PDB file of all heavy atoms in Angstrom:
ATOM      1  N   ALA A 708      -8.438  18.200  11.066  1.00  0.00           N
ATOM      2  CA  ALA A 708      -9.482  17.201  10.755  1.00  0.00           C
ATOM      3  C   ALA A 708     -10.593  17.980  10.031  1.00  0.00           C
ATOM      4  O   ALA A 708     -11.593  18.325  10.670  1.00  0.00           O
ATOM      5  CB  ALA A 708      -9.946  16.475  11.979  1.00  0.00           C
ATOM      6  N   LEU A 709     -10.368  18.214   8.792  1.00  0.00           N
ATOM      7  CA  LEU A 709     -11.297  19.078   8.043  1.00  0.00           C
ATOM      8  C   LEU A 709     -12.002  18.243   6.978  1.00  0.00           C
ATOM      9  O   LEU A 709     -11.475  17.325   6.398  1.00  0.00           O
ATOM     10  CB  LEU A 709     -10.504  20.212   7.369  1.00  0.00           C
ATOM     11  CG  LEU A 709      -9.741  21.108   8.275  1.00  0.00           C
ATOM     12  CD1 LEU A 709      -8.897  22.162   7.505  1.00  0.00           C
ATOM     13  CD2 LEU A 709     -10.645  21.841   9.250  1.00  0.00           C
ATOM     14  N   GLY A 710     -13.248  18.647   6.681  1.00  0.00           N
ATOM     15  CA  GLY A 710     -14.037  18.000   5.666  1.00  0.00           C
ATOM     16  C   GLY A 710     -14.080  16.491   5.843  1.00  0.00           C
ATOM     17  O   GLY A 710     -14.471  16.011   6.918  1.00  0.00           O
ATOM     18  N   GLY A 711     -13.576  15.769   4.854  1.00  0.00           N
ATOM     19  CA  GLY A 711     -13.501  14.325   4.929  1.00  0.00           C
ATOM     20  C   GLY A 711     -12.726  13.847   6.146  1.00  0.00           C
ATOM     21  O   GLY A 711     -12.905  12.724   6.618  1.00  0.00           O
ATOM     22  N   GLY A 712     -11.797  14.678   6.677  1.00  0.00           N
ATOM     23  CA  GLY A 712     -11.007  14.333   7.863  1.00  0.00           C
ATOM     24  C   GLY A 712     -11.869  14.335   9.148  1.00  0.00           C
ATOM     25  O   GLY A 712     -11.774  13.450   9.971  1.00  0.00           O
ATOM     26  N   CYS A 713     -12.696  15.357   9.237  1.00  0.00           N
ATOM     27  CA  CYS A 713     -13.634  15.399  10.355  1.00  0.00           C
ATOM     28  C   CYS A 713     -14.605  14.185  10.224  1.00  0.00           C
ATOM     29  O   CYS A 713     -14.929  13.478  11.179  1.00  0.00           O
ATOM     30  CB  CYS A 713     -14.397  16.713  10.360  1.00  0.00           C
ATOM     31  SG  CYS A 713     -15.431  16.977  11.744  1.00  0.00           S
ATOM     32  N   GLU A 714     -15.057  13.968   8.927  1.00  0.00           N
ATOM     33  CA  GLU A 714     -16.048  12.867   8.721  1.00  0.00           C
ATOM     34  C   GLU A 714     -15.453  11.534   8.999  1.00  0.00           C
ATOM     35  O   GLU A 714     -16.175  10.640   9.563  1.00  0.00           O
ATOM     36  CB  GLU A 714     -16.524  12.989   7.250  1.00  0.00           C
ATOM     37  CG  GLU A 714     -17.407  14.253   7.046  1.00  0.00           C
ATOM     38  CD  GLU A 714     -17.647  14.498   5.558  1.00  0.00           C
ATOM     39  OE1 GLU A 714     -16.752  14.682   4.839  1.00  0.00           O
ATOM     40  OE2 GLU A 714     -18.858  14.502   5.172  1.00  0.00           O
ATOM     41  N   ILE A 715     -14.197  11.341   8.659  1.00  0.00           N
ATOM     42  CA  ILE A 715     -13.606   9.944   8.909  1.00  0.00           C
ATOM     43  C   ILE A 715     -13.483   9.791  10.461  1.00  0.00           C
ATOM     44  O   ILE A 715     -13.646   8.705  10.962  1.00  0.00           O
ATOM     45  CB  ILE A 715     -12.366   9.738   8.131  1.00  0.00           C
ATOM     46  CG1 ILE A 715     -12.059   8.227   7.932  1.00  0.00           C
ATOM     47  CG2 ILE A 715     -11.143  10.390   8.789  1.00  0.00           C
ATOM     48  CD1 ILE A 715     -10.980   7.931   7.017  1.00  0.00           C
ATOM     49  N   SER A 716     -13.136  10.905  11.134  1.00  0.00           N
ATOM     50  CA  SER A 716     -12.970  10.749  12.577  1.00  0.00           C
ATOM     51  C   SER A 716     -14.332  10.339  13.252  1.00  0.00           C
ATOM     52  O   SER A 716     -14.421   9.626  14.251  1.00  0.00           O
ATOM     53  CB  SER A 716     -12.460  12.015  13.243  1.00  0.00           C
ATOM     54  OG  SER A 716     -13.461  12.986  13.404  1.00  0.00           O
ATOM     55  N   MET A 717     -15.453  10.856  12.615  1.00  0.00           N
ATOM     56  CA  MET A 717     -16.736  10.536  13.132  1.00  0.00           C
ATOM     57  C   MET A 717     -17.240   9.114  12.878  1.00  0.00           C
ATOM     58  O   MET A 717     -18.216   8.685  13.452  1.00  0.00           O
ATOM     59  CB  MET A 717     -17.781  11.569  12.608  1.00  0.00           C
ATOM     60  CG  MET A 717     -17.567  12.947  13.156  1.00  0.00           C
ATOM     61  SD  MET A 717     -18.921  14.092  12.749  1.00  0.00           S
ATOM     62  CE  MET A 717     -18.706  14.287  11.004  1.00  0.00           C
ATOM     63  N   CYS A 718     -16.494   8.437  11.956  1.00  0.00           N
ATOM     64  CA  CYS A 718     -16.805   7.014  11.796  1.00  0.00           C
ATOM     65  C   CYS A 718     -16.156   6.171  12.880  1.00  0.00           C
ATOM     66  O   CYS A 718     -16.508   4.942  12.957  1.00  0.00           O
ATOM     67  CB  CYS A 718     -16.242   6.531  10.435  1.00  0.00           C
ATOM     68  SG  CYS A 718     -17.069   7.239   9.088  1.00  0.00           S
ATOM     69  N   CYS A 719     -15.257   6.735  13.658  1.00  0.00           N
ATOM     70  CA  CYS A 719     -14.638   6.017  14.712  1.00  0.00           C
ATOM     71  C   CYS A 719     -15.513   6.103  16.029  1.00  0.00           C
ATOM     72  O   CYS A 719     -16.325   6.985  16.130  1.00  0.00           O
ATOM     73  CB  CYS A 719     -13.263   6.573  15.086  1.00  0.00           C
ATOM     74  SG  CYS A 719     -12.126   6.358  13.684  1.00  0.00           S
ATOM     75  N   ASP A 720     -15.337   5.130  16.891  1.00  0.00           N
ATOM     76  CA  ASP A 720     -16.204   5.076  18.099  1.00  0.00           C
ATOM     77  C   ASP A 720     -15.831   6.226  19.030  1.00  0.00           C
ATOM     78  O   ASP A 720     -16.728   6.717  19.712  1.00  0.00           O
ATOM     79  CB  ASP A 720     -16.033   3.704  18.787  1.00  0.00           C
ATOM     80  CG  ASP A 720     -16.434   2.565  17.863  1.00  0.00           C
ATOM     81  OD1 ASP A 720     -17.529   2.691  17.253  1.00  0.00           O
ATOM     82  OD2 ASP A 720     -15.689   1.581  17.762  1.00  0.00           O
ATOM     83  N   ILE A 721     -14.527   6.521  19.129  1.00  0.00           N
ATOM     84  CA  ILE A 721     -14.053   7.495  20.083  1.00  0.00           C
ATOM     85  C   ILE A 721     -13.097   8.465  19.360  1.00  0.00           C
ATOM     86  O   ILE A 721     -12.311   8.007  18.564  1.00  0.00           O
ATOM     87  CB  ILE A 721     -13.316   6.748  21.250  1.00  0.00           C
ATOM     88  CG1 ILE A 721     -14.313   5.870  22.038  1.00  0.00           C
ATOM     89  CG2 ILE A 721     -12.571   7.702  22.215  1.00  0.00           C
ATOM     90  CD1 ILE A 721     -13.650   4.862  22.999  1.00  0.00           C
ATOM     91  N   ARG A 722     -13.152   9.749  19.701  1.00  0.00           N
ATOM     92  CA  ARG A 722     -12.134  10.680  19.117  1.00  0.00           C
ATOM     93  C   ARG A 722     -11.362  11.321  20.271  1.00  0.00           C
ATOM     94  O   ARG A 722     -11.899  11.902  21.208  1.00  0.00           O
ATOM     95  CB  ARG A 722     -12.875  11.834  18.392  1.00  0.00           C
ATOM     96  CG  ARG A 722     -13.324  11.486  16.964  1.00  0.00           C
ATOM     97  CD  ARG A 722     -14.556  12.255  16.570  1.00  0.00           C
ATOM     98  NE  ARG A 722     -15.623  11.919  17.473  1.00  0.00           N
ATOM     99  CZ  ARG A 722     -16.341  10.735  17.375  1.00  0.00           C
ATOM    100  NH1 ARG A 722     -16.020   9.885  16.481  1.00  0.00           N
ATOM    101  NH2 ARG A 722     -17.226  10.485  18.257  1.00  0.00           N
ATOM    102  N   VAL A 723     -10.021  11.103  20.218  1.00  0.00           N
ATOM    103  CA  VAL A 723      -9.124  11.761  21.163  1.00  0.00           C
ATOM    104  C   VAL A 723      -8.362  12.849  20.353  1.00  0.00           C
ATOM    105  O   VAL A 723      -7.766  12.545  19.337  1.00  0.00           O
ATOM    106  CB  VAL A 723      -8.134  10.747  21.771  1.00  0.00           C
ATOM    107  CG1 VAL A 723      -7.229  11.512  22.840  1.00  0.00           C
ATOM    108  CG2 VAL A 723      -8.864   9.627  22.439  1.00  0.00           C
ATOM    109  N   ALA A 724      -8.438  14.068  20.861  1.00  0.00           N
ATOM    110  CA  ALA A 724      -7.803  15.183  20.036  1.00  0.00           C
ATOM    111  C   ALA A 724      -6.593  15.638  20.746  1.00  0.00           C
ATOM    112  O   ALA A 724      -6.509  15.817  21.988  1.00  0.00           O
ATOM    113  CB  ALA A 724      -8.871  16.315  19.984  1.00  0.00           C
ATOM    114  N   ALA A 725      -5.553  15.830  19.949  1.00  0.00           N
ATOM    115  CA  ALA A 725      -4.364  16.550  20.462  1.00  0.00           C
ATOM    116  C   ALA A 725      -4.744  18.025  20.606  1.00  0.00           C
ATOM    117  O   ALA A 725      -5.679  18.519  19.949  1.00  0.00           O
ATOM    118  CB  ALA A 725      -3.188  16.452  19.419  1.00  0.00           C
ATOM    119  N   GLU A 726      -4.004  18.719  21.503  1.00  0.00           N
ATOM    120  CA  GLU A 726      -4.323  20.126  21.685  1.00  0.00           C
ATOM    121  C   GLU A 726      -4.277  20.991  20.468  1.00  0.00           C
ATOM    122  O   GLU A 726      -4.915  22.027  20.405  1.00  0.00           O
ATOM    123  CB  GLU A 726      -3.339  20.713  22.750  1.00  0.00           C
ATOM    124  CG  GLU A 726      -3.748  20.318  24.173  1.00  0.00           C
ATOM    125  CD  GLU A 726      -2.691  20.685  25.243  1.00  0.00           C
ATOM    126  OE1 GLU A 726      -1.603  21.035  24.848  1.00  0.00           O
ATOM    127  OE2 GLU A 726      -2.978  20.542  26.409  1.00  0.00           O
ATOM    128  N   ASN A 727      -3.511  20.579  19.455  1.00  0.00           N
ATOM    129  CA  ASN A 727      -3.402  21.377  18.234  1.00  0.00           C
ATOM    130  C   ASN A 727      -4.457  20.911  17.148  1.00  0.00           C
ATOM    131  O   ASN A 727      -4.388  21.392  16.033  1.00  0.00           O
ATOM    132  CB  ASN A 727      -2.011  21.228  17.593  1.00  0.00           C
ATOM    133  CG  ASN A 727      -1.703  19.829  17.140  1.00  0.00           C
ATOM    134  OD1 ASN A 727      -2.173  18.849  17.662  1.00  0.00           O
ATOM    135  ND2 ASN A 727      -0.954  19.703  16.091  1.00  0.00           N
ATOM    136  N   ALA A 728      -5.352  20.073  17.559  1.00  0.00           N
ATOM    137  CA  ALA A 728      -6.341  19.577  16.558  1.00  0.00           C
ATOM    138  C   ALA A 728      -7.266  20.683  16.159  1.00  0.00           C
ATOM    139  O   ALA A 728      -7.665  21.502  16.969  1.00  0.00           O
ATOM    140  CB  ALA A 728      -7.112  18.397  17.119  1.00  0.00           C
TER     141      ALA A 728
END
Side-chain angles (χ1 to χ4, degrees):
L709 300 176
C713 185
E714 289 168 302
I715 203 170
S716 81
M717 291 190 288
C718 292
C719 294
D720 299 314
I721 294 168
R722 278 150 298 286
V723 182
E726 278 169 352
N727 67 327

